[in-house]
Amino acid sequence: MKKVVLAYSGGLDTSIIIPWLKETYGYEVIAMVADLGQGEELAPLQEKATKSGASKLYIEDLREQFVTEFIFQTLKAGAVYEGDYLLGTSFARPLIARRLVEIAEKEGAVAIAHGATGKGNDQVRFELSVKALNPDLEIIAPWRQWNLKSREDCIDYAAARGIPVPVTKDRPYSMDRNLWHLSHEGGDLENPWNEPKRDLYLLGVAPEDAPDEATYLELGFEQGIPTTLNGEKIAPVKLLETLNDLGGKNGIGIVDMVENRLVGMKSRGVYETPGGTILYTAHKALEHLTLDRLTLHYKEQVALKYAEIVYDGVWYSPLREALDAFVNVTQKNVTGTVRLKLYKGNCSLAGTKSPYSLYNEAYATFGEDGVYDQKDAAGFINLFGLPLKVRALMEKQSGLRK
């Protein structure tokens, strides 16, 4: 019997894919769930996968790799998609795909299957990663093949086979949770005029429900990587868990946005990224202190391309590796401490310091100084403005300017 390895989450889609694969292909189904920080969601999956028809379930703890190889590298790049999305689902997929390929090779499987829909980005992310890592594997995408047309159809399909699923027709949200974020799509959110319901949030509270007293914290960075919290060394996974807790309690990191999907349509999602928002705010502030103007501005352009690469699912590409090389050089002096204030949904800067700070108070002061001759500015302005002056003279002499 041929084998297929399924990217399994225990959610609605992948729960019904197990019996569908067996009924449609006659394959032995091996399920793999990646532990990326879902926590309690993983507890019932072993029994659930077996009851759904899987011959085996791999639960792979990939949290450390997720943070150190994917989250921190994207953080150093400063990559944000369309100004708001911190890429929580996007950079999880290539890691999951990598482990799927490894298990498929170990088990002698001929195919990999996933539960991404034919309308979404994840199908691209999974499949491009598999093609880059093992182009000989067959890829099965049930949402592009079966006759089920909606999540309501899937719920009925599961009920007919006695498969319990974590959604109902009253709460039909599609959610993706990991150590970095929790995303919500579907249901009443499909109308962008609808405000998210107050009970939607699971990682934290709405800003108006946050405490009336601010929370302060200090993050220490070494070459762009966060290493300490409030002066104490902290492991990467523990850092994210702690920041998610602190940020969630203060209503930090809630984003409601309409984004441009790679497949051509716009979609509306509500994202909870409390710890990630804190880290991005701190890292950006430290870069402003330690990077020169030319490097900072060019890196901002790189960040846009990097975000597209991650969002589009081409993580395993020469361009991403090349951009990583550039980013890593820019981070050599991004070392220091950032103090932040968390208050009712706001994550604001409360102080930065670095041994490599390019901020020099002797030059920047409004008071008297002995290092900067303000008369020098006149010559600089004359030279910097010379192209504008020459053009103005030409327009005046040619009659273009009245």
Side-chain angles (χ1 to χ4, degrees):
M1 182 181 294
K2 292 181 178 180
K3 299 178 182 179
V4 57
V5 180
L6 169 66
Y8 182 70
S9 68
L12 172 60
D13 298 343
T14 57
S15 293
I16 65 172
I17 285 175
I18 293 176
W20 183 88
L21 286 169
K22 297 178 71 174
E23 295 169 12
T24 305
Y25 286 87
Y27 285 177
E28 175 187 346
V29 180
I30 298 169
M32 190 282 284
V33 59
D35 180 0
L36 300 180
Q38 301 93 312
E40 69 281 355
E41 294 178 5
L42 300 179
L45 293 188
Q46 186 71 57
E47 180 181 1
K48 185 175 182 180
T50 303
K51 286 185 176 180
S52 298
S55 65
K56 186 184 299 185
L57 173 68
Y58 285 86
I59 297 180
E60 302 293 290
D61 186 353
L62 304 178
R63 292 174 297 168
E64 187 80 14
Q65 297 173 52
F66 184 42
V67 177
T68 58
E69 296 181 36
F70 293 81
I71 289 177
F72 282 172
Q73 194 60 45
T74 307
L75 170 68
K76 289 193 294 182
V80 182
Y81 185 70
E82 297 191 340
D84 285 310
Y85 178 42
L86 297 185
L87 300 163
T89 297
S90 306
F91 52 40
R93 298 316 187 222
L95 173 57
I96 296 172
R98 185 175 74 187
R99 190 62 185 131
L100 284 170
V101 169
E102 292 169 350
I103 291 174
E105 292 171 347
K106 173 184 175 183
E107 292 282 349
V110 299
I112 282 175
H114 63 76
T117 74
K119 288 185 175 182
N121 300 306
D122 279 347
Q123 59 180 334
V124 181
R125 297 163 182 156
F126 277 125
E127 295 183 31
L128 291 187
S129 296
V130 172
K131 289 178 185 297
L133 298 171
N134 188 335
D136 295 326
L137 285 169
E138 176 189 359
I139 300 172
I140 301 174
W143 267 105
R144 302 202 298 258
Q145 300 177 40
W146 61 23
N147 294 321
L148 303 174
K149 302 300 182 184
S150 66
R151 294 183 67 77
E152 289 75 18
D153 287 349
C154 293
I155 292 171
D156 292 338
Y157 183 97
R161 288 159 179 77
I163 300 172
V165 292
V167 297
T168 67
K169 292 182 180 180
D170 294 327
R171 189 180 173 89
Y173 299 119
S174 175
M175 297 184 292
D176 178 67
R177 181 176 179 177
N178 57 44
L179 194 58
W180 186 249
H181 87 159
L182 172 61
S183 65
H184 310 266
E185 293 179 310
D188 59 296
L189 297 177
E190 291 183 350
N191 184 345
W193 185 248
N194 290 335
E195 182 180 8
K197 297 176 181 177
R198 291 281 280 275
D199 64 354
L200 179 75
Y201 309 119
L202 300 178
L203 297 187
V205 300
E208 58 267 36
D209 296 327
D212 293 330
E213 184 176 347
T215 297
Y216 286 85
L217 60 86
E218 292 185 5
L219 281 167
F221 289 79
E222 294 180 11
Q223 296 190 350
I225 296 175
T227 56
T228 66
L229 177 62
N230 295 327
E232 301 291 332
K233 284 282 186 181
I234 187 168
V237 172
K238 182 63 176 178
L239 173 64
L240 259 297
E241 291 173 341
T242 304
L243 292 181
N244 280 336
D245 181 60
L246 291 172
K249 289 177 180 177
N250 287 278
I252 304 300
I254 295 173
V255 170
D256 180 355
M257 67 179 292
V258 174
E259 69 197 60
N260 288 293
R261 284 184 179 173
L262 175 61
V263 294
M265 69 189 73
K266 290 184 182 290
S267 66
R268 194 266 189 101
V270 176
Y271 301 100
E272 298 180 68
T273 318
T277 299
I278 293 171
L279 285 177
Y280 262 74
T281 303
H283 181 264
K284 182 178 181 179
L286 193 56
E287 282 194 329
H288 282 198
L289 192 68
T290 57
L291 295 187
D292 64 276
R293 181 174 179 264
L294 285 174
T295 302
L296 179 66
H297 288 186
Y298 191 79
K299 186 173 178 291
E300 288 174 341
Q301 299 177 50
V302 169
L304 292 174
K305 176 53 67 176
Y306 202 101
E308 284 187 358
I309 289 172
V310 177
Y311 189 86
D312 292 353
V314 284
W315 182 273
Y316 299 109
S317 66
L319 178 56
R320 198 270 305 169
E321 294 176 1
L323 294 184
D324 277 346
F326 166 78
V327 168
N328 289 338
V329 170
T330 70
Q331 300 299 290
K332 287 183 178 180
N333 289 342
V334 184
T335 295
T337 303
V338 181
R339 185 169 61 241
L340 296 173
K341 175 182 178 181
L342 313 181
Y343 183 69
K344 290 191 177 296
N346 295 299
C347 179
S348 53
L349 185 62
T352 54
K353 61 181 180 180
S354 168
Y356 307 110
S357 172
L358 296 179
Y359 176 84
N360 190 315
E361 189 175 353
Y363 282 92
T365 181
F366 282 96
E368 183 178 353
D369 69 81
V371 296
Y372 187 88
D373 187 346
Q374 296 194 31
K375 294 178 181 178
D376 292 341
F380 166 74
I381 294 170
N382 285 336
L383 292 178
F384 189 63
L386 185 58
L388 299 176
K389 180 178 180 179
V390 170
R391 180 176 179 82
L393 289 172
M394 177 275 293
E395 291 177 343
K396 182 177 181 181
Q397 293 169 0
S398 64
L400 292 176
R401 178 176 295 190
K402 301 291 186 179

mmCIF file of all heavy atoms in Angstrom, residues 388-402:
data_model
loop_
_atom_site.group_PDB
_atom_site.id
_atom_site.type_symbol
_atom_site.label_atom_id
_atom_site.label_comp_id
_atom_site.label_asym_id
_atom_site.label_seq_id
_atom_site.Cartn_x
_atom_site.Cartn_y
_atom_site.Cartn_z
ATOM 1 N N LEU A 388 18.923 72.028 -7.967
ATOM 2 C CA LEU A 388 17.666 72.770 -7.951
ATOM 3 C C LEU A 388 17.887 74.211 -8.443
ATOM 4 O O LEU A 388 17.068 74.759 -9.192
ATOM 5 C CB LEU A 388 17.070 72.771 -6.546
ATOM 6 C CG LEU A 388 16.706 71.400 -5.956
ATOM 7 C CD1 LEU A 388 16.219 71.566 -4.516
ATOM 8 C CD2 LEU A 388 15.644 70.702 -6.794
ATOM 9 N N LYS A 389 19.004 74.803 -8.003
ATOM 10 C CA LYS A 389 19.299 76.178 -8.410
ATOM 11 C C LYS A 389 19.552 76.262 -9.908
ATOM 12 O O LYS A 389 19.030 77.164 -10.593
ATOM 13 C CB LYS A 389 20.511 76.691 -7.629
ATOM 14 C CG LYS A 389 20.907 78.113 -7.990
ATOM 15 C CD LYS A 389 22.091 78.568 -7.136
ATOM 16 C CE LYS A 389 22.493 79.992 -7.490
ATOM 17 N NZ LYS A 389 23.629 80.469 -6.661
ATOM 18 N N VAL A 390 20.365 75.305 -10.437
ATOM 19 C CA VAL A 390 20.672 75.307 -11.868
ATOM 20 C C VAL A 390 19.396 75.129 -12.695
ATOM 21 O O VAL A 390 19.209 75.787 -13.731
ATOM 22 C CB VAL A 390 21.703 74.215 -12.195
ATOM 23 C CG1 VAL A 390 21.853 74.035 -13.706
ATOM 24 C CG2 VAL A 390 23.054 74.551 -11.565
ATOM 25 N N ARG A 391 18.524 74.263 -12.272
ATOM 26 C CA ARG A 391 17.269 74.047 -13.006
ATOM 27 C C ARG A 391 16.412 75.313 -12.980
ATOM 28 O O ARG A 391 15.811 75.705 -13.991
ATOM 29 C CB ARG A 391 16.505 72.867 -12.407
ATOM 30 C CG ARG A 391 15.180 72.595 -13.135
ATOM 31 C CD ARG A 391 14.480 71.360 -12.585
ATOM 32 N NE ARG A 391 13.229 71.142 -13.280
ATOM 33 C CZ ARG A 391 13.101 70.537 -14.453
ATOM 34 N NH1 ARG A 391 14.181 70.093 -15.095
ATOM 35 N NH2 ARG A 391 11.915 70.382 -15.006
ATOM 36 N N ALA A 392 16.344 75.961 -11.825
ATOM 37 C CA ALA A 392 15.546 77.189 -11.713
ATOM 38 C C ALA A 392 16.095 78.278 -12.630
ATOM 39 O O ALA A 392 15.329 79.022 -13.265
ATOM 40 C CB ALA A 392 15.517 77.661 -10.269
ATOM 41 N N LEU A 393 17.442 78.386 -12.723
ATOM 42 C CA LEU A 393 18.051 79.379 -13.607
ATOM 43 C C LEU A 393 17.722 79.078 -15.070
ATOM 44 O O LEU A 393 17.427 79.996 -15.864
ATOM 45 C CB LEU A 393 19.559 79.388 -13.402
ATOM 46 C CG LEU A 393 20.064 79.969 -12.068
ATOM 47 C CD1 LEU A 393 21.550 79.747 -11.905
ATOM 48 C CD2 LEU A 393 19.715 81.459 -11.986
ATOM 49 N N MET A 394 17.766 77.770 -15.434
ATOM 50 C CA MET A 394 17.429 77.380 -16.797
ATOM 51 C C MET A 394 15.982 77.739 -17.126
ATOM 52 O O MET A 394 15.681 78.281 -18.216
ATOM 53 C CB MET A 394 17.657 75.881 -16.991
ATOM 54 C CG MET A 394 17.273 75.334 -18.364
ATOM 55 S SD MET A 394 15.509 74.889 -18.506
ATOM 56 C CE MET A 394 15.402 73.500 -17.390
ATOM 57 N N GLU A 395 15.071 77.459 -16.237
ATOM 58 C CA GLU A 395 13.650 77.756 -16.486
ATOM 59 C C GLU A 395 13.428 79.245 -16.623
ATOM 60 O O GLU A 395 12.606 79.687 -17.449
ATOM 61 C CB GLU A 395 12.805 77.186 -15.350
ATOM 62 C CG GLU A 395 12.759 75.646 -15.331
ATOM 63 C CD GLU A 395 11.985 75.116 -14.150
ATOM 64 O OE1 GLU A 395 11.760 75.883 -13.177
ATOM 65 O OE2 GLU A 395 11.599 73.925 -14.164
ATOM 66 N N LYS A 396 14.156 80.023 -15.831
ATOM 67 C CA LYS A 396 14.004 81.487 -15.913
ATOM 68 C C LYS A 396 14.545 82.014 -17.224
ATOM 69 O O LYS A 396 13.908 82.866 -17.895
ATOM 70 C CB LYS A 396 14.731 82.130 -14.728
ATOM 71 C CG LYS A 396 14.591 83.651 -14.675
ATOM 72 C CD LYS A 396 15.283 84.208 -13.445
ATOM 73 C CE LYS A 396 15.139 85.726 -13.374
ATOM 74 N NZ LYS A 396 15.832 86.285 -12.174
ATOM 75 N N GLN A 397 15.736 81.519 -17.661
ATOM 76 C CA GLN A 397 16.367 81.999 -18.891
ATOM 77 C C GLN A 397 15.605 81.554 -20.135
ATOM 78 O O GLN A 397 15.589 82.256 -21.147
ATOM 79 C CB GLN A 397 17.812 81.511 -18.957
ATOM 80 C CG GLN A 397 18.712 82.145 -17.885
ATOM 81 C CD GLN A 397 20.068 81.467 -17.782
ATOM 82 O OE1 GLN A 397 20.341 80.518 -18.514
ATOM 83 N NE2 GLN A 397 20.894 81.970 -16.877
ATOM 84 N N SER A 398 14.982 80.368 -20.076
ATOM 85 C CA SER A 398 14.269 79.833 -21.263
ATOM 86 C C SER A 398 12.836 80.297 -21.334
ATOM 87 O O SER A 398 12.134 79.987 -22.299
ATOM 88 C CB SER A 398 14.306 78.309 -21.232
ATOM 89 O OG SER A 398 13.587 77.805 -20.097
ATOM 90 N N GLY A 399 12.385 81.011 -20.331
ATOM 91 C CA GLY A 399 11.014 81.491 -20.344
ATOM 92 C C GLY A 399 10.012 80.509 -19.795
ATOM 93 O O GLY A 399 8.793 80.765 -19.842
ATOM 94 N N LEU A 400 10.464 79.348 -19.299
ATOM 95 C CA LEU A 400 9.537 78.366 -18.736
ATOM 96 C C LEU A 400 8.966 78.848 -17.414
ATOM 97 O O LEU A 400 7.872 78.445 -17.026
ATOM 98 C CB LEU A 400 10.256 77.030 -18.504
ATOM 99 C CG LEU A 400 10.692 76.287 -19.784
ATOM 100 C CD1 LEU A 400 11.477 75.023 -19.395
ATOM 101 C CD2 LEU A 400 9.462 75.903 -20.615
ATOM 102 N N ARG A 401 9.706 79.721 -16.749
ATOM 103 C CA ARG A 401 9.233 80.251 -15.487
ATOM 104 C C ARG A 401 8.925 81.717 -15.654
ATOM 105 O O ARG A 401 9.778 82.503 -16.062
ATOM 106 C CB ARG A 401 10.300 80.050 -14.399
ATOM 107 C CG ARG A 401 9.914 80.629 -13.038
ATOM 108 C CD ARG A 401 10.945 80.317 -11.973
ATOM 109 N NE ARG A 401 11.022 78.878 -11.712
ATOM 110 C CZ ARG A 401 11.704 78.371 -10.690
ATOM 111 N NH1 ARG A 401 12.367 79.166 -9.860
ATOM 112 N NH2 ARG A 401 11.748 77.054 -10.500
ATOM 113 N N LYS A 402 7.731 82.081 -15.375
ATOM 114 C CA LYS A 402 7.288 83.481 -15.525
ATOM 115 C C LYS A 402 7.823 84.343 -14.396
ATOM 116 O O LYS A 402 7.846 83.919 -13.237
ATOM 117 C CB LYS A 402 5.762 83.551 -15.549
ATOM 118 C CG LYS A 402 5.130 82.740 -16.674
ATOM 119 C CD LYS A 402 5.407 83.326 -18.031
ATOM 120 C CE LYS A 402 4.635 82.562 -19.111
ATOM 121 N NZ LYS A 402 4.857 83.125 -20.445
#
